[in-house]
Structure formats: structure tokens, C-alpha cells
Amino acid sequence: MEEVKCECGHVNPPGTLLCESCGKQLAEYENPVTHSGPLLDMRYDGSARRSQTYQKTWVDKVWNFFSSVKVGIWLIVLVLGASAVGTIFTQVEYIPSNVLPEDYYQDEFGVPGEIYYQLGFHDLYGSWWYISLVAALGISLVVASLDRVVPLYRALNVQGITKNTGFMKRQRLFGERVMEKDSSLDTVKQRLEKKRYKVFTEDGNLFAEKGRFSRWGPYVNHVGLIIVLIGAMLRFVPGMHVDETVWLKEGQLSAIPGTGGEYFLKNERFIVESYESGSEKEVFKEAISEAGEGNVAKNFQTDVVLYQRNGQSLPGEEPELKEIKRDSIKVNQPLHFGAFGVYQNSYSTGAMKELKFNLLVKETGKTMGPITVNLDEPETEYDLGEGYNVSILSYLPDFYMNEDGRPDTKSRAPNNPAFVFNMKSPGNPEGETSFVGIQMNLEPNGENKLAMKFAGVETVSQSLLSVKKDLTLWILALGGLIFMIGVCQGMYWNHRRIWLKRENGMVYIAAHTNKNWFTLKKEVEDAVEGTSFPAPWDQKNSEMQTGGVGVGGN
């Protein structure tokens, strides 16, 4: 397509509807949204938008698709709808770590929960289709903004002072009258400048403008939303966002999740303090007695030691650790290091730490042992002497039967430990197999001569800590701030323009704003009051009342 040269001499980009300089109509058009009729649609000042000009290649079609306001609205509706669906039931990252998702949703929410899980809504915000919707919305915002703001910026920057008479007559506020000899622009110019208009004159004609920056408000909104979407998408980049939990038993040392094995945390001591009616104010005694003495936690804290790994370690090798700091983690008083925060989440006072077993010789009733099995790091073999030996062939910390009917574990937490033991004796060096769990002792290969018998349990307090890191917060805050600036920019200021032209013995005046027409009309009337210039008439109201476009004067 070729550039369009107007009779005023200005060369316009292909597809321009109104000359960027004088405003002369260069092509027939009707806006399908506003149906402006005989009045000009000034939303984009008739500038050449790419989506309305190029429609042949596949690039043009993709651009036109994403530049459509309807497509953008539908994408917003779909994202909001999908986000709402994700709040119906608990998302998978917030369910207890010791249960399987398929069991949790079925047990907690019944058939609706099972359907919710099968449809993949349990991990909605991390699903590929939700991320694709958010990405498509971001692309739509970028394309729609560029499609409109670039030509509008160009059109406003090159607009001329002297406008085409036809352009002025098709403005909503317009007036005309026969020119008188004493017509002077000085008074009008001074009055408009007092109202903070930028006033330009040329050959006895006048152009006044103020508040142009308000036209960029919607596009500033788009920039803010795009930054927010970028921040949301960056949460899926490894290292940008961490929200994990870790159980730590008293005395246990564990790598902090999300740190790549660089930082370790040791639970030195766990403390629980409860409210006692005898030591509290009278008003609290009744509530404490109803809940039960010692059942209302006053404070629970984890005294920890933070370690950092020194150098690299080989797989299976104990890392060399350097102590960084000691601290007490309480509710709302987290441990901070680097960009991480470790928060006190919950606790348990009856966690299993060790199980004790005796080896029983069934024929004689003789017992060997006991052996002590550390449930966090069990040994693989235990020598009981006299030729008796027990080895652990398989360990299932959180035993259950899976869908295939096979023994499996729900998690690494020892909530329901089960073992496959191999028991050797002097008379049977190959050993016998036994499957042992809580209130369960199975002999899968037939009756054994040896058996593992439960001999005791040692429990310990454990603390549930939340590990959080978020490098996207400042991006989200920046996007929100820019969005609010755009809202204020577009809501509280108006873009107002006034044109005054003298031609062939007539004086024409026209004005346009993107909102608040009454105030603009009043400003123009005040500017021309007591002069020979006409006051404008609201042609839209005139059209509604008379069925056509009217012109007015003093």
C-alpha cells in the first residue's frame, strides 16, 4: 500500500482515515463500536492502525487476532473463570504432604473432588493450558497497545494548527458566524493560557491543547498489567519463587528445600508453652477451662542452627558444613537468610523416631535383640550374634497399597512405617522373608521359623517449617503501581483541544475531549465571552433533539 498525500501537503501512512495534519477525511469509514454517524470518531484521531490496514499474510492475521478488543476481553474472562475454578477446592501444594492427591480429593470432597482431580484442576495454576492463557493475555495486551498507541502518538505529534473546515464541522462542539473586523485572538489566547492550555497560532488561526498525557492512561494500564503478568510467569522460573515445607524432628539435620543443597537446618530444640488458667487473667479462665488445661498453645518455637555447605560434595558423601547463625523461629518471627525466610507453620508432639524389634525363634521362644531402627535413616543390616542376622530389604515410611495392589509409600515421612525383613539363622543362612508393619506381620513365602516382634517405640516432637522465597514481589508491586498511575492518569485528567479558524469571511470554532464535555464547553464559552468569536454548540445533543447536526453561535 502507498502513502496518502493530503491536499494540505502532508504525507500520511497507508490506511490513514483522517489527515494527521489538517484532519481532512481521506477514506470513508464508520466505527462499528461508536456508530458516530455524521460526527467524527476521534478515539484514535483517524490514524492508520496496522490491524485495519494489512490483512493478507499469516503474520497480519495473527496480529489482527491479538489486537482485537473482543479477543482481549474473552481472554480476560477465560483467565478470571479459570482462576475462580482453581479456588473451589484446595490446590495440591496446600494439601498435607503425607497423603496422595487422588485419595485426598476423594476423601475430603467426594465425587466432585474426584472429578476436580481427574480434570487436572488440583494443579490448575501450574498447568500448561492456564500458563498459555496468561501468556496469550499478555501477548494481546502488547499487540493491542502497540496497534493503537504508536499511530496515535504519531498523529498527535504532527497535528497541524490550521484544520480542515469539514473536520471542524464534524466535531461534537462546533460553532460558526460571520467574521467581524475587530476579531482578535489575543484575548482568547490569554484566557486559554490562564486555564493552562498550550496555545499555538498560525495565519490568524488558533489551536489550544492541554492534558494530552491523559490519552496514554489506558496504555500505561496495559504496561502495568504486562509487568504483573511477567512477574506471575517468572514464578515458574527455578530459583525465582520457593514455597516449600519441611518437617524437622528434634536433633534432626536436613537440607533446606529450594536452596539446591547449599543450606542446612538443624532442629536443636522444640518448645511448646500452653495457657494455664492459674496464671492468666480472670477473663480468660473460662475459655481455657472449656478448651482444657494445656490444650491452648501460647507459644511454640523451634531453636535452630543454620549451616552452609563448604564447597562441593560427591553423591553419598557427607557435606562439610559451616555454622552461619543460631536463632529461634516463632510464629510471625521467621529466620531470614539471603532471600529466604523460614517460618514456623505447625508442630507435632508424637512423631515416631525409632522402632525396636526382637527376633523370635518360634520353636524355642528364644528372643534375640532388640534392634533399633532409625526411621529417618535405617541401617540395612543388624547383627544379633550367634549367627543370627536381620537385614532390611525394603522400607516403606508411609505404607499403603497402590492402585495395582502393590505395597507403596505415600511420602517419605514415617507416618505408617512398614518393612520387608530378611532373617538369617545358623540353620538357614539364606534367610526367611517377613513383611512387618504396625499391627501387621505377614509371611509371604509360607510359615517361617523366625519372626520379628515389636518391642517398643520412641517418639519425638517435630516442627513443620515453611520455606519461602519470592524474587518477583517487587515486579508485581511495580506493575501494580504503574497500573494505578495509569488509572489516575486516565480518570482524573482529560485531553482537551480547541480549534479556531478564519476562512472566507467566516469564523469557525470547534473543540474535542475524551470525556467531561460540559466542562470543555464551559471553558470555551468563557474564553470567547465578550469577543466576536462564536460559542460552540453541542451537536450531539442537537442531533438527538432535531434529527440532524446543528451549528450554534452566541
Side-chain angles (χ1 to χ4, degrees):
M1 299 181 69
E2 296 181 356
E3 295 178 330
V4 183
K5 186 173 182 179
C6 179
E7 64 182 22
C8 70
H10 180 74
V11 178
N12 298 275
T16 303
L17 302 174
L18 300 176
C19 176
E20 296 173 331
S21 179
C22 72
K24 177 180 171 59
Q25 186 170 337
L26 303 176
E28 292 295 332
Y29 77 99
E30 180 181 359
N31 187 280
V33 178
T34 61
H35 297 292
S36 55
L39 299 178
L40 290 176
D41 178 8
M42 296 288 289
R43 286 198 307 164
Y44 308 114
D45 275 42
S47 55
R49 291 167 50 201
R50 190 187 194 285
S51 60
Q52 306 297 320
T53 306
Y54 302 98
Q55 302 177 357
K56 293 184 178 180
T57 67
W58 67 269
V59 175
D60 298 335
K61 296 184 186 301
V62 171
W63 181 276
N64 296 348
F65 175 80
F66 282 108
S67 68
S68 170
V69 174
K70 290 182 180 179
V71 170
I73 291 174
W74 272 111
L75 286 172
I76 292 173
V77 170
L78 290 174
V79 169
L80 290 177
S83 300
V85 169
T87 65
I88 295 176
F89 296 133
T90 310
Q91 288 291 290
V92 67
E93 59 263 32
Y94 299 111
I95 69 174
S97 59
N98 60 344
V99 297
L100 292 174
E102 54 264 36
D103 295 337
Y104 176 84
Y105 286 96
Q106 186 175 9
D107 295 342
E108 291 292 324
F109 309 115
V111 175
E114 187 175 2
I115 295 173
Y116 193 81
Y117 173 79
Q118 294 297 332
L119 291 176
F121 294 153
H122 67 293
D123 189 23
L124 187 143
Y125 304 117
S127 62
W128 66 268
W129 60 268
Y130 182 81
I131 296 174
S132 299
L133 273 179
V134 174
L137 177 58
I139 293 172
S140 175
L141 287 171
V142 172
V143 173
S145 298
L146 291 177
D147 189 63
R148 291 161 174 81
V149 73
V150 173
L152 179 60
Y153 177 81
R154 172 186 165 89
L156 292 179
N157 266 5
V158 300
Q159 60 183 330
I161 297 173
T162 303
K163 286 294 184 180
N164 180 272
T165 304
F167 170 86
M168 297 180 68
K169 287 183 175 181
R170 295 184 64 184
Q171 294 300 316
R172 176 170 171 176
L173 296 184
F174 173 74
E176 63 177 353
R177 70 162 30 166
V178 176
M179 181 171 57
E180 299 180 5
K181 292 182 179 180
D182 61 346
S183 299
S184 175
L185 291 177
D186 292 339
T187 303
V188 177
K189 180 180 178 181
Q190 291 173 5
R191 290 175 179 176
L192 291 175
E193 286 176 341
K194 286 182 179 179
K195 295 181 181 294
R196 299 184 180 179
Y197 278 88
K198 291 183 179 179
V199 183
F200 307 90
T201 58
E202 175 186 79
D203 300 330
N205 303 317
L206 177 144
F207 169 55
E209 180 185 32
K210 74 173 178 179
R212 183 192 294 187
F213 76 99
S214 70
R215 292 290 291 272
W216 316 126
Y219 307 107
V220 174
N221 289 347
H222 288 183
V223 171
L225 287 175
I226 291 167
I227 292 175
V228 169
L229 292 177
I230 291 173
M233 299 286 284
L234 284 175
R235 290 189 165 211
F236 297 99
V237 176
M240 294 294 292
H241 180 260
V242 175
D243 189 359
E244 302 282 354
T245 58
V246 57
W247 282 100
L248 272 185
K249 298 176 182 176
E250 280 189 311
Q252 182 183 0
L253 175 71
S254 178
I256 300 176
T259 65
E262 182 180 359
Y263 290 94
F264 291 74
L265 200 63
K266 183 178 181 180
N267 182 348
E268 287 279 279
R269 184 178 60 163
F270 182 74
I271 302 173
V272 180
E273 299 174 355
S274 301
Y275 285 100
E276 302 292 343
S277 58
S279 59
E280 301 299 330
K281 295 181 179 180
E282 191 68 30
V283 293
F284 300 128
K285 289 184 178 180
E286 183 178 352
I288 293 173
S289 61
E290 287 181 2
E293 290 286 342
N295 290 334
V296 182
K298 184 176 184 179
N299 171 53
F300 53 95
Q301 71 180 59
T302 309
D303 295 337
V304 298
V305 182
L306 176 67
Y307 295 94
Q308 185 175 18
R309 184 184 63 200
N310 252 340
Q312 298 293 328
S313 57
L314 297 174
E317 181 184 9
E318 288 291 329
E320 181 183 348
L321 302 178
K322 177 180 66 175
E323 183 177 324
I324 301 299
K325 65 188 300 187
R326 293 174 177 264
D327 204 349
S328 296
I329 304 176
K330 302 179 181 180
V331 177
N332 297 326
Q333 296 181 27
L335 163 69
H336 289 290
F337 63 98
F340 289 88
V342 183
Y343 296 78
Q344 183 70 59
N345 188 317
S346 184
Y347 67 93
S348 170
T349 56
M352 289 183 287
K353 180 182 180 181
E354 296 176 345
L355 290 180
K356 295 182 179 181
F357 296 94
N358 285 323
L359 179 62
L360 172 67
V361 181
K362 294 182 180 179
E363 185 177 355
T364 63
K366 179 182 179 181
T367 60
M368 308 288 291
I371 65 170
T372 301
V373 180
N374 186 315
L375 297 179
D376 292 320
E377 297 179 357
E379 298 179 18
T380 57
E381 192 170 345
Y382 300 85
D383 187 5
L384 300 176
E386 301 180 17
Y388 290 92
N389 180 281
V390 176
S391 58
I392 299 177
L393 301 180
S394 180
Y395 170 44
L396 304 173
D398 199 359
F399 165 72
Y400 83 111
M401 300 297 290
N402 63 22
E403 295 178 352
D404 299 327
R406 295 179 178 274
D408 205 343
T409 183
K410 296 179 181 179
S411 67
R412 297 179 62 183
N415 300 310
N416 185 25
F419 306 86
V420 178
F421 288 113
N422 181 258
M423 305 165 292
K424 298 178 183 179
S425 65
N428 186 2
E430 295 297 324
E432 301 172 335
T433 302
S434 176
F435 186 81
V436 179
I438 296 176
Q439 297 183 341
M440 176 178 61
N441 198 327
L442 305 177
E443 298 175 348
N445 298 327
E447 187 174 355
N448 295 329
K449 295 182 180 181
L450 304 174
M452 298 298 295
K453 292 297 183 181
F454 179 73
V457 61
E458 182 178 342
T459 61
V460 68
S461 296
Q462 63 177 351
S463 180
L464 178 62
L465 303 174
S466 296
V467 182
K468 297 183 182 294
K469 172 187 176 182
D470 197 343
L471 300 181
T472 66
L473 279 178
W474 70 271
I475 300 175
L476 298 175
L478 176 63
L481 175 63
I482 292 175
F483 178 83
M484 291 308 301
I485 290 173
V487 169
C488 296
Q489 189 175 339
M491 287 185 63
Y492 298 110
W493 283 270
N494 323 125
H495 182 209
R496 299 177 180 178
R497 287 177 288 177
I498 302 169
W499 298 276
L500 197 150
K501 179 182 180 180
R502 291 185 280 201
E503 182 182 53
N504 299 328
M506 297 291 293
V507 179
Y508 304 98
I509 191 168
H512 179 269
T513 184
N514 54 336
K515 59 179 177 288
N516 203 347
W517 291 89
F518 176 81
T519 304
L520 174 62
K521 185 172 182 292
K522 186 71 170 61
E523 284 187 344
V524 179
E525 289 173 348
D526 291 343
V528 300
E529 184 179 1
T531 70
S532 58
F533 296 105
W537 186 262
D538 190 335
Q539 299 198 91
K540 186 174 183 179
N541 292 339
S542 172
E543 180 184 354
M544 294 171 60
Q545 295 168 5
T546 65
V549 177
V551 287
N554 281 336

